[in-house]
Amino acid sequence: NAGVTQTPKFRVLKTGQSMTLLCAQDMNHEYMYWYRQDPGMGLRLIHYSVGEGTTAKGEVPDGYNVSRLKKQNFLLGLESAAPSQTSVYFCASREQGARETQYFGPGTRLLVL
Amino acid sequence: AQTVTQSQPEMSVQEAETVTLSCTYDTSESDYYLFWYKQPPSRQMILVIRQEAYKQQNATENRFSVNFQKAAKSFSLKISDSQLGDAAMYFCAYRSAELNNNNDMRFGAGTRLTVKP
């Protein structure tokens, strides 16, 4: 099993450009998450999904959109990138149940110039 | 909303010695889970240990153990016999176990642990 994978690993964007980050998991998990990690702030939840076709806002959703058309994939979109979106983005997934372990992808480093 | 505080931005320990990382949290809930994650330079988030709030016994995983003080809302991580490979960022995290909650995780800001040979 590959676990949770993220594409791409690193990307440089110019302000105003758009892009999509792809997260894929092969563990048949219901729940998927997108976080951003900034220095001194830990991980903050952007959006999440509790099942195929459903999405919801997290703590810092502004400037991002998501889609979960297939259970195994969770896409994070930036329609018009801003320098404030320079960060490391992590995807995660887990089974239902609050006790379940959350598995993380390797992260995507995004630099917006 | 629940908050998680890690008051030590950086810690260091001599190889083979013991170090304790602090974490406090704020919640009005009675049922929840607490986690410690390790993030080495590779950036991969690795689960170190998990504690269920309803359990009085402190969780242990080999050289890693926690001191869970529910009344004080404290959840510290003790690393015994520290090894060079323990050097990493350590994040404390909280997850509600309440029904009708999206059960997302709240993370602290992290503690960077350095292990000196």
Side-chain angles (χ1 to χ4, degrees):
Chain A
N1 284 353
V4 181
T5 58
Q6 293 182 230
T7 307
K9 290 184 171 52
F10 175 65
R11 184 77 181 268
V12 179
L13 287 180
K14 293 181 180 178
T15 297
Q17 287 185 318
S18 63
M19 78 163 294
T20 300
L21 280 66
L22 170 63
C23 175
Q25 53 95 3
D26 60 3
M27 296 174 280
N28 203 36
H29 287 167
E30 289 291 339
Y31 287 32
M32 296 188 74
Y33 303 84
W34 275 108
Y35 295 90
R36 61 177 289 172
Q37 183 180 21
D38 301 294
M41 299 189 75
L43 276 74
R44 293 182 293 167
L45 183 64
I46 304 172
H47 285 280
Y48 65 97
S49 168
V50 298
E52 182 178 324
T54 71
T55 62
K57 294 180 180 180
E59 185 184 356
V60 289
D62 293 344
Y64 306 94
N65 56 75
V66 288
S67 64
R68 183 105 180 264
L69 299 179
K70 294 182 178 180
K71 187 176 184 179
Q72 64 268 33
N73 295 337
F74 195 29
L75 278 63
L76 178 71
L78 287 73
E79 290 187 349
S80 179
S84 61
Q85 294 178 304
T86 293
S87 188
V88 179
Y89 293 85
F90 285 94
C91 177
S93 72
R94 68 174 175 90
E95 291 280 11
Q96 281 185 299
R99 188 185 185 281
E100 296 299 324
T101 298
Q102 194 151 309
Y103 296 88
F104 287 83
T108 294
R109 183 164 165 252
L110 177 64
L111 176 61
V112 183
L113 302 175
Chain B
Q2 295 81 20
T3 57
V4 179
T5 302
Q6 293 179 249
S7 59
Q8 306 155 316
E10 296 182 354
M11 290 282 285
S12 67
V13 63
Q14 206 70 35
E15 194 176 4
E17 295 192 345
T18 296
V19 64
T20 299
L21 308 184
S22 302
C23 173
T24 58
Y25 56 94
D26 184 25
T27 185
S28 59
E29 298 173 335
S30 59
D31 196 11
Y32 50 86
Y33 296 88
L34 296 165
F35 305 81
W36 278 99
Y37 275 87
K38 171 185 177 181
Q39 187 182 42
S42 67
R43 287 207 304 261
Q44 183 69 51
M45 294 285 284
I46 303 165
L47 179 65
V48 175
I49 200 163
R50 168 177 48 209
Q51 175 78 43
E52 289 90 341
Y54 63 84
K55 289 186 176 180
Q56 290 186 336
Q57 187 174 8
N58 289 324
T60 63
E61 288 287 343
N62 300 316
R63 298 183 294 107
F64 298 88
S65 62
V66 299
N67 183 2
F68 173 48
Q69 302 289 328
K70 192 172 184 179
K73 297 178 184 176
S74 170
F75 182 59
S76 61
L77 174 70
K78 185 171 83 170
I79 306 174
S80 304
D81 185 25
S82 297
Q83 300 176 359
L84 295 177
D86 295 334
M89 281 288 285
Y90 286 82
F91 291 97
C92 178
Y94 170 102
R95 180 192 289 152
S96 169
E98 301 286 333
L99 292 177
N100 300 320
N101 186 301
N102 64 35
N103 301 126
D104 68 313
M105 297 180 84
R106 295 281 177 166
F107 287 86
T111 296
R112 182 174 300 282
L113 178 67
T114 301
V115 180
K116 299 178 181 177

